[in-house]
Amino acid sequence: MTADTYSLVKPALELRNLSAWYGESRALYDVSLDVKPGGVVSLLGRNGAGKTTIVKSIMGLMNRREGSVRFENRETIGLSPRKIALLGIGLVPEERGIFGTLTVQENLMLPPVVRDGGMTLERIFDLFPNVRARLTAAGNALSGGEQQMLAIARILRTGARAILLDEPTEGLAPVIVQQIRKTIESMKEMGFTILLVEQNFDFAARVSDAFVVIENGRVVDRLEGPLGSAEIESVRRFLSV
Amino acid sequence: MSFQLLAGQLVLGLINGSFYALLSLGLAIIFGILNIANFAHGAQYMFGAMLAWGLLEYAGIGYWYALPLVFLGAGLLGLLTEAIFIRRMYHVDPLYGILLTFGITLMMQGVFRNYYGVSGLPYSVPASLSGSWNLGVMYLPIYRVWVIVAAVVICFLTWYTIEKTRIGANLRAATENPTLAEAFGLNVPLLKAAAYAGGVGLAGLAGAFAAPVYSVNPMMGSEIVIVAFAVVVIGGMGSIKGAIIAGFSMGALEGLAKVFWPEFSAMVIYIVMVAVILYRPGVDIFGRKV
């Protein structure tokens, strides 16, 4: 391995011994994981395992977090959510986080551009034709699927290179889920670094390079894709218990 | 009852309504975005009137130049007040914000009373707006027409800024979900400071408009701020459009009450407020949830 390829596989997002608290109660215990540049890593685990808490901790949204979160070699543990966002980490939050009092267009234009190389509106509209069709609608007038498209579209505009996708398929019809899978696949081709939280293991298995299994706020297993059928069975059994 | 009386009271009501709307608008912005019930609003309105008076008295700066200067001066006062006091209230019980802003009111009134007394300072209508139009049935003072027109324009511009511009979208996002807005890279603390400064600027501007019609004195804001709060409640807490429409219509209602039911005219707005609290809590005048 040459020096160049080595630097390429250095993780874009690097969590070391990350702990976090909700008030007095500890929610994460020494979570360590890497996402390589252009890689897709899925966090798997049952409801309440701590997957969303990991996403929130990366964004600095917990009132107390300790350990290390490095993004492109920069320590972010002491930074505010705003500074973290401006470094180029885009959030597609759980329940989509569309602002209901803003129009679709206002939602789309809301996050400031953090870096050159974000997608043009034309490209975004090519990817998500329904977003273009509903630009003047209020955010809370959209269907769940449309909101999810908008939540992703809004981050693609900013030039963020790493994207945290929290349960993008939750509560959506299969046809929409398929559309979101295609979107994630094309984002992967474009070289985005993605950390995906997903309850739907079959969905996660199809788009991810690696899997981190979370239980009670801890990492209990790590798997590299593609998974063999025995591994798939064991993960599925673990998630369904 | 004569038509003159009715029209006269309606115009008087609308001019009062212009001040209610301007003040309620600022209160609604501050309440909506900072979640602070800004009881200093009346004192900030008084500050605007005193500043307009002081500019003329000490610097010879007349009405037309005073208007933008007062807006900026009151906005600056708002920025300082936010940075020194209000900012500390964001993470504590809203009751502390009420007490703090009430205390700021007492401090400001005390300072101005110490230097200027309470008897009222004269500020005359600018020459370009003096006189009145003879409409046949009544004389319409030009300055009052100007105040109503200016208030409508300012209310519209403020509404437009908040509802239709990029900065307005940022403000609304920060209102709806400040945590998420911050996670998208918005500078929420700066937006809050700007909203407070803007609201105080509007209060100051209302004070400058009031200087030629009401008596300029340190206590002039203490009563109107209560009416303005009632108007904000009627319009739907934090609703911009609601505050504007409720402001003008409550002024008109008060004017009509003076004709038809004079004994109750001083309390008619409060009667409406109580009715709104009892029967339509939590919705604005358009029936939308706030």
Side-chain angles (χ1 to χ4, degrees), chain A residues 59 61 80-82 85-86 89 91 93 97-103 106 109-112 154-155 157, chain B residues 162-166 168-170 172-174 176-189:
Chain A
M59 282 318 297
L61 295 173
S80 67
R82 176 173 165 257
L86 295 179
I89 303 182
L91 175 66
I98 297 304
F99 292 92
T101 54
L102 274 62
T103 65
E106 286 170 338
M109 304 306 285
L110 185 75
R154 140 176 99 175
I155 288 305
R157 214 195 101 252
Chain B
I162 289 179
E163 295 296 328
K164 300 290 170 195
T165 67
R166 186 79 187 263
N170 289 355
R172 277 176 286 134
E176 187 177 329
N177 191 338
T179 311
L180 198 55
E182 204 149 4
F184 287 134
L186 267 58
N187 194 339
V188 174

Side-chain angles (χ1 to χ4, degrees), chain B residues 190-274:
Chain B
L190 184 69
L191 288 168
K192 284 182 170 178
Y196 193 77
V200 176
L202 283 173
L205 193 55
F209 284 133
V213 267
Y214 302 138
S215 161
V216 178
N217 75 74
M219 309 307 290
M220 66 187 282
S222 51
E223 209 165 307
I224 198 167
V225 68
I226 307 297
V227 180
F229 266 106
V231 168
V232 170
V233 171
I234 293 165
M237 301 292 286
S239 161
I240 306 293
K241 229 196 280 180
I244 296 170
I245 292 175
F248 283 105
S249 49
M250 287 305 111
L253 181 69
E254 207 178 31
L256 292 178
K258 282 187 180 132
V259 179
F260 295 105
W261 203 12
E263 302 85 346
F264 280 86
S265 63
M267 55 190 285
V268 66
I269 292 177
Y270 302 109
I271 294 173
V272 175
M273 181 193 78
V274 168

Side-chain angles (χ1 to χ4, degrees), chain B residues 80-148:
Chain B
L80 290 173
T81 308
E82 197 275 342
I84 298 169
F85 299 110
I86 307 292
R87 184 169 293 187
R88 293 161 212 278
M89 300 297 114
Y90 295 153
H91 301 292
V92 297
D93 192 289
L95 196 56
Y96 289 98
I98 294 177
L99 291 172
L100 173 82
T101 52
F102 187 64
I104 291 172
T105 299
L106 296 179
M107 280 161 46
M108 288 175 67
Q109 286 176 348
V111 167
F112 280 98
R113 195 156 53 175
N114 185 47
Y115 291 105
Y116 300 104
V118 288
S119 56
L121 304 160
Y123 192 93
S124 46
V125 172
S128 46
L129 294 174
S130 59
S132 47
W133 288 323
N134 184 356
L135 300 185
V137 291
M138 62 181 290
Y139 284 96
L140 198 55
I142 295 171
Y143 186 79
R144 306 209 158 174
V145 177
W146 151 249
V147 166
I148 295 170

